Amino acid sequence: MNTEKKRGTAMAGSIKEFFKQRDYYEIRLESIGGLGANLCAKMVGELAVKYLNLNSAGFSSYGSEKTGTPVKGYIRFCLPEQEIRVHSPIVSPDLLVIFHQALMRDKKTWAGCGPQTQVIIALDRGQEEMMGNLPETIGECYMVDARQNVGFVEPCRLRLAGVGRGSNQWCGPGQATMGKKAERISGSS
């Protein structure tokens, strides 16, 4: 418990240091309908409010609300004493999350990314060669296994959700597995 408090205090200190330099921390999610970007934006925003004591605003932009159409999710964070009054799409993200490797080919996916932008890309196994197509202008880049399941608890059951096709499934308690950590593939150490 004491370790938890120390960790929380250290994290709170680093968050406050970040916000001394900037008003907002901004995340842009690039996805295809059905992969969970809309839900992810809502969950990450709520988690920041509950566990990091930050203000958060999250919304998604999508067309026809069907599987396979482009989806963008946006999340902004700021300190609790500041209000979020900007509700426009995020142009220059601090973090870009790409939910499907096909989106890496689209130049619009990378628009506004610079050396300050960290990137997380969900790739299917065997698609690592696509990492050679990364823009030179981005910051650190991480790859995660697109078919890895992540478990979370709902009131009377456990739900598995993943960013890969066919990964949403119900299971019994104790059957969920957490994925391994993201692999760092570029950027400074």
Side-chain angles (χ1 to χ4, degrees), residues 114-126:
Q116 86 290 353
T117 306
Q118 293 183 315
V119 180
I120 299 173
I121 303 170
L123 285 177
D124 287 338
R125 288 180 205 251

Side-chain angles (χ1 to χ4, degrees), residues 46-103:
E46 288 181 26
L47 290 169
V49 169
K50 185 172 181 175
Y51 294 106
L52 298 176
N53 193 30
L54 295 174
N55 282 341
S56 167
F59 63 97
S60 294
S61 167
Y62 44 85
S64 61
E65 286 192 60
K66 66 180 185 179
T67 302
T69 58
V71 174
K72 291 181 187 260
Y74 306 99
I75 313 161
R76 275 192 183 86
F77 304 109
C78 68
L79 292 175
E81 46 283 345
Q82 180 181 347
E83 287 186 39
I84 298 177
R85 295 187 176 265
V86 178
H87 299 286
S88 59
I90 293 169
V91 178
S92 298
D94 297 299
L95 176 64
L96 174 68
V97 182
I98 301 173
F99 279 64
H100 194 281
Q101 68 256 12
L103 296 168

